[in-house]
Amino acid sequence: MPRALNPSQSIAEEQRYADVLFAHLDTEVRAAQRRLDQVQADVDPDNPDADALVRRETEYHGLNAKLDTLNVAEIGLVFGRIDVADDNAENPAPGRPRLDRRYIGRIGIDDRGDHYRTLLLDWRAPMARPYYLATTAHPEGVETRRNIRMRGRTVTAVNDEVLVGDPPPGFESDVGSESALRRAINAARSGRMRSIVETIQREQDDIIRETTRGVLVVQGGPGTGKTAVALHRAAYLLYTWRQQLARSGVLIIGPNATFLDYISRVLPELGETGVVLSTVGALVPGFHPTGAETREAREVKGSAEMLTILTRAVQAYETIPDHPVPLAVGSVPLEATPAMVRAARTRARRSRKPHNEARAFFAEHLTQSLADALAARIGEDPLGGENLLSGADVDQLFDDLSEEPAVRSLIDAHFPVLSAPDVLDALLTSRARIEEAAGDYDEYTQAALYRSPGSGFSESDTALIDELIELIGPGADVHGAQDKEDNSDDLVAEAEEALDALSSSESTDNDDDQFEAEILSAHDVIDAETLAQRQRETDVRSTAQRARADRQWAYGHVIVDEAQELSPMEWRMVFRRSPSRWMTVVGDTAQTSSPAGTDSWSEALAPFVGERFRTRELTVNYRTPKEVMSVADEILAVIDPDAKPATAIRATGLEVRRLPSGTDPAVIAAQLTEGGERTASIVTAATVNDVKGLEFDHVIVVEPRQIVSSSPQGWQDLYVAVTRATQTLTIIGEEPSRG
């Protein structure tokens, strides 16, 4: 049995080891920085090879990413140590068991000397897992576990836990994993989420390392660590499937920009910086909705019926004339009949192509009909015999008609090129178009869809734009030709800068005209346009940069947090980003506040994967005190009488405070946060959505009855509001009846 060490001796021991780790870390940082400087300076002025430039640019991005990882490692580089029984380990002393000592940290560090060894295990490595799983009942071979606390590069405290046998006399074990967890859940909250890498619990670890290669649903009540588990799962998958996910990327979707800012620091702290963070409303590059919308509009726009309405809205542009349309083509009278146009439209729709692609079939069929009609007229045999024109003559007529402005105008009039924003704006701002597309739906639906012209797109419109892009096809995106030209100009400008840099590095000291003509500048070897084309062919942006800018990017893994808020149309948009269907879906259906949100995981996922998904549940509430959960559990019973609340494991001894209406919440917040160490949030009916997914030391809920009455999901909103608290809950105003 390991003997208990004096705390100061333990700290000194771990400080010496930390110094060794940081020495290796500093060496890696210096090596990476030297190579980065070399890449920037390594330019051959006599041979400015464009491919070499691209390779250097790619290495430059990789080195910067490595430096990011190494630099964030200083935030608590090492946090744990385990001594694992191992018959193959070196025997440290006579009569002592053979132990394999493993240090656990945010990244891995290896000593690549003569005796190659691992100095620090990445927390995601299989050999680090016993640190999280070991208990006195199931020690997993771990004899002792030590939690190490650091501030920067300084070890500030250690806590030991003996897992096998009885501790030696005088051993004072402040159980390592439990003490770390207690510190974390009692710590003051800030504006940023903390990593739980030091305190991952067994049920959380099982989900983080889940091997499912399909859709994994993580259901959990407030305070169970759903978001933290999702983020650590992202880091774990990037570690385990590095080669695959480095190419395809990982997308994390959150409910709002505040939430994304709140979680933004966690992944870099875990050594991962190449992840795309986005809200649902930002999934279409170039589309930036800013308009307000009613709850009724959110409900209707999020419903699955919108697929039918949008399909009809596109088809409304595929028209048939009421009467024959005369065409001015040479001196021979020609007209396009309704039957011709209808047959061309049928041919286009049978192609099963999106509208803009199907237009080619429409144009071909209609032009052929016109060519046949024209051939019949001008090639008619006066004696009643066969048509005098050959097949080649008809083909020539087809080619000629294809170039005729009148024919082109006819095609544009009855099968125009469309763009998604134009179609959606025209639909939502016209009662006539709404009636045409949604005439068989009730007045509630039609009224909810309408908005006044010029009021702008709203966040719910993002999924509709995405759907329309699919229905319309090429040219439907929010990026027009001008955007593409601008991008090309940017590439050319960047190429010019690169060539100028090359040219400036050439020798300018030689004034001999005899040699001056023989010196080639970078511009002599390759021009900016050619170099820009090379850049287009070899994209040097990082995976995350390329993925964020590409609406059709196929992500290797997608994580959806607060997934219960997604509407059916938003689910369609998200699954387009995950053709492999490898996703982690995190949420709690009892907290659904969106009018078109998810009440059942089966119903939400069935259109995409049927019943082929796995559900894991988090059952322990680490965040919310028992005093607060006593109120929250009563609300949960109203939402879902059959729901089983998560088990709260801590109490503060501070009962929920109830104050009368009219009490100034700002005064209460100031009292609670006096000293500036703790955070407080005032939650009203208007701000519930803003606090979703966040946590605060103190929460002040104002007029809970109004919160419930303000929305059909009012009880869910109130449940969300009260469960944001980690220390105290104050309720101002009348509470709704729970009878």
Side-chain angles (χ1 to χ4, degrees):
M1 173 63 61
R3 62 187 178 86
L5 296 176
N6 180 285
S8 60
Q9 291 177 329
S10 299
I11 292 174
E13 174 190 14
E14 301 307 347
Q15 184 63 62
R16 287 192 294 272
Y17 201 80
D19 291 341
V20 172
L21 295 175
F22 277 109
H24 280 267
L25 183 67
D26 290 340
T27 299
E28 288 199 41
V29 169
R30 286 194 295 270
Q33 187 62 61
R34 282 196 302 271
R35 180 56 189 157
L36 189 62
D37 294 339
Q38 183 180 0
V39 167
Q40 291 173 302
D42 186 15
V43 175
D44 181 359
D46 295 326
N47 184 27
D49 179 19
D51 289 333
L53 284 175
V54 170
R55 287 195 301 271
R56 283 194 287 272
E57 186 73 11
T58 302
E59 185 179 3
Y60 177 81
H61 284 300
L63 287 166
N64 268 322
K66 182 176 183 179
L67 280 172
D68 287 343
T69 299
L70 296 175
N71 289 331
V72 299
E74 294 218 18
I75 308 172
L77 174 62
V78 56
F79 56 79
R81 190 190 84 182
I82 50 177
D83 290 330
V84 183
D86 183 1
D87 291 338
N88 295 319
E90 295 182 3
N91 199 347
R96 297 282 303 282
R98 296 179 181 271
L99 297 175
D100 174 19
R101 177 160 291 178
R102 306 173 190 172
Y103 281 89
I104 319 296
R106 297 178 185 276
I107 64 171
I109 296 179
D110 296 324
D111 182 356
R112 296 178 175 84
D114 293 338
H115 301 286
Y116 187 94
R117 63 188 180 120
T118 297
L119 296 175
L120 184 66
L121 278 170
D122 190 300
W123 67 273
R124 298 164 288 189
M127 291 183 67
R129 197 176 188 195
Y131 178 81
Y132 299 109
L133 300 185
T135 64
T136 52
H138 302 283
E140 306 287 339
V142 177
E143 298 271 341
T144 60
R145 173 168 51 202
R146 169 170 287 180
N147 176 254
I148 301 169
R149 299 205 298 279
M150 300 189 69
R151 182 177 294 112
R153 296 190 170 211
T154 304
V155 176
T156 59
V158 297
N159 300 99
D160 291 318
E161 178 182 8
V162 176
L163 299 176
V164 176
D166 297 324
F171 184 91
E172 296 182 0
S173 174
D174 183 9
V175 178
S177 60
E178 292 183 3
S179 63
L181 179 61
R182 284 199 301 273
R183 285 195 307 274
I185 61 181
N186 287 317
R189 264 48 184 180
S190 66
R192 295 290 178 86
M193 185 179 183
R194 291 185 179 86
S195 159
I196 63 165
V197 66
E198 302 175 32
T199 61
I200 295 171
Q201 301 300 293
R202 187 178 190 116
E203 75 169 5
Q204 295 173 328
D205 186 79
D206 286 341
I207 294 172
I208 289 169
R209 300 174 193 262
E210 170 67 55
T211 59
T212 296
R213 289 300 298 269
V215 175
L216 174 67
V217 175
V218 182
Q219 165 77 32
T224 55
K226 298 185 297 298
T227 298
V229 166
L231 295 175
H232 287 69
R233 177 163 171 75
Y236 172 76
L237 293 175
L238 282 163
Y239 175 86
T240 306
W241 302 93
R242 175 73 63 189
Q243 186 172 3
Q244 175 183 342
L245 294 180
R247 295 192 305 268
S248 57
V250 172
L251 170 65
I252 298 179
I253 300 173
N256 51 57
T258 303
F259 175 84
L260 294 182
D261 182 63
Y262 177 65
I263 68 173
S264 62
R265 195 173 65 182
V266 173
L267 283 167
E269 286 184 3
L270 298 174
E272 299 297 345
T273 58
V275 174
V276 176
L277 300 178
S278 178
T279 62
V280 173
L283 283 179
V284 177
F287 184 69
H288 307 291
T290 58
E293 62 186 342
T294 64
R295 177 172 286 272
E296 292 77 15
R298 291 175 62 200
E299 180 182 6
V300 172
K301 290 179 181 180
S303 67
E305 284 75 15
M306 282 305 303
L307 178 58
T308 300
I309 294 172
L310 294 176
T311 301
R312 291 173 180 170
V314 172
Q315 290 178 341
Y317 290 88
E318 302 165 0
T319 60
I320 298 172
D322 295 328
H323 306 286
V325 179
L327 300 173
V329 178
S331 59
V332 180
L334 182 65
E335 61 181 20
T337 66
M340 288 180 181
V341 179
R342 180 179 290 106
R345 186 180 71 174
T346 300
R347 174 67 185 91
R349 289 181 176 177
R350 284 179 177 172
S351 72
R352 305 291 183 184
K353 298 289 186 181
H355 172 91
N356 283 353
E357 287 187 75
R359 172 184 155 94
F361 293 90
F362 176 87
E364 180 182 22
H365 195 282
L366 180 56
T367 305
Q368 186 64 58
S369 297
L370 292 171
D372 291 341
L374 184 58
R377 179 158 298 190
I378 65 176
E380 183 180 4
D381 184 352
L383 300 178
E386 294 184 1
N387 195 292
L388 299 177
L389 298 183
S390 66
D393 293 331
V394 177
D395 290 343
Q396 185 60 52
L397 288 176
F398 176 91
D399 293 340
D400 293 342
L401 287 171
S402 297
E403 301 298 323
E404 281 290 337
V407 175
R408 290 181 176 180
S409 296
L410 178 68
I411 294 169
D412 289 339
H414 297 286
F415 217 105
V417 175
L418 301 178
S419 74
D422 290 344
V423 171
L424 186 59
D425 186 65
L427 171 67
L428 300 181
T429 58
S430 168
R431 296 189 188 277
R433 286 190 179 275
I434 290 174
E435 184 176 2
E436 184 179 19
D440 52 351
Y441 291 92
D442 56 26
E443 292 182 4
Y444 176 91
T445 299
Q446 296 185 45
L449 284 175
Y450 179 77
R451 62 172 171 80
S452 59
S455 55
F457 291 114
S458 61
E459 187 165 320
S460 294
D461 291 330
T462 306
L464 308 189
I465 288 288
D466 198 65
E467 194 71 47
L468 281 170
I469 292 173
E470 294 293 311
L471 292 171
I472 296 173
D477 212 333
V478 294
H479 294 293
Q482 183 62 45
D483 294 319
K484 294 178 182 177
E485 291 173 6
D486 291 344
N487 182 54
S488 297
D489 290 343
D490 290 342
L491 287 175
V492 173
E494 291 173 5
E496 286 280 10
E497 290 180 7
L499 292 174
D500 289 342
L502 286 170
S503 298
S504 66
S505 66
E506 298 163 2
S507 174
T508 58
D509 296 331
N510 195 333
D511 294 328
D512 191 337
D513 292 339
Q514 177 182 353
F515 296 102
E516 188 174 313
E518 298 179 4
I519 298 175
L520 294 178
S521 74
H523 289 278
D524 293 326
V525 178
I526 186 171
D527 59 39
E529 182 59 43
T530 304
L531 180 55
Q533 182 60 37
R534 292 283 189 91
Q535 289 177 303
R536 294 186 195 101
E537 294 169 356
T538 308
D539 198 334
V540 297
R541 292 173 298 170
S542 68
T543 296
Q545 289 172 325
R546 287 183 286 123
R548 186 183 296 278
D550 186 352
R551 191 193 71 86
Q552 295 181 301
W553 188 271
Y555 287 93
H557 193 82
V558 175
I559 293 176
V560 187
D561 203 354
E562 300 292 343
Q564 74 278 356
E565 301 302 324
L566 266 60
S567 69
M569 292 301 293
E570 289 168 340
W571 278 114
R572 291 177 62 86
M573 179 168 57
V574 168
F575 268 96
R576 286 192 191 102
R577 275 73 181 166
S578 179
S580 69
R581 301 300 193 255
W582 190 18
M583 297 173 61
T584 301
V585 174
V586 182
D588 178 15
T589 53
Q591 297 186 60
T592 303
S593 60
S594 171
T598 299
D599 296 321
S600 162
W601 297 121
S602 294
E603 292 178 6
L605 300 175
F608 312 101
V609 295
E611 293 297 320
R612 299 184 304 277
F613 64 90
R614 184 174 185 185
T615 302
R616 299 290 301 272
E617 189 160 2
L618 292 165
T619 62
V620 179
N621 185 336
Y622 302 97
R623 178 183 71 206
T624 319
K626 293 179 179 178
E627 295 85 353
V628 175
M629 285 309 299
S630 65
V631 174
D633 290 346
E634 293 178 7
I635 299 172
L636 179 61
V638 176
I639 299 169
D640 183 0
D642 297 326
K644 183 179 179 181
T647 302
I649 63 171
R650 58 187 280 265
T652 61
L654 302 170
E655 295 299 325
V656 174
R657 184 163 55 159
R658 291 173 167 85
L659 301 173
S661 294
T663 303
D664 188 344
V667 172
I668 304 301
Q671 294 172 350
L672 292 170
T673 58
E674 187 176 2
E677 293 183 0
R678 298 283 182 176
T679 61
S681 178
I682 300 171
V683 185
T684 66
T687 63
V688 170
N689 286 334
D690 297 333
V691 300
K692 183 169 287 292
L694 308 181
E695 58 183 28
F696 307 90
D697 296 300
H698 308 288
V699 170
I700 304 160
V701 177
V702 181
E703 301 298 342
R705 188 172 182 177
Q706 183 180 356
I707 291 176
V708 170
S709 63
S710 295
S711 163
Q713 286 76 35
W715 282 105
Q716 287 90 334
D717 288 343
L718 183 58
Y719 185 61
V720 169
V722 302
T723 54
R724 301 306 93 198
T726 66
Q727 299 296 325
T728 71
L729 172 65
T730 301
I731 297 175
I732 296 177
E734 188 175 354
E735 297 180 52
S737 172
R738 300 188 179 97

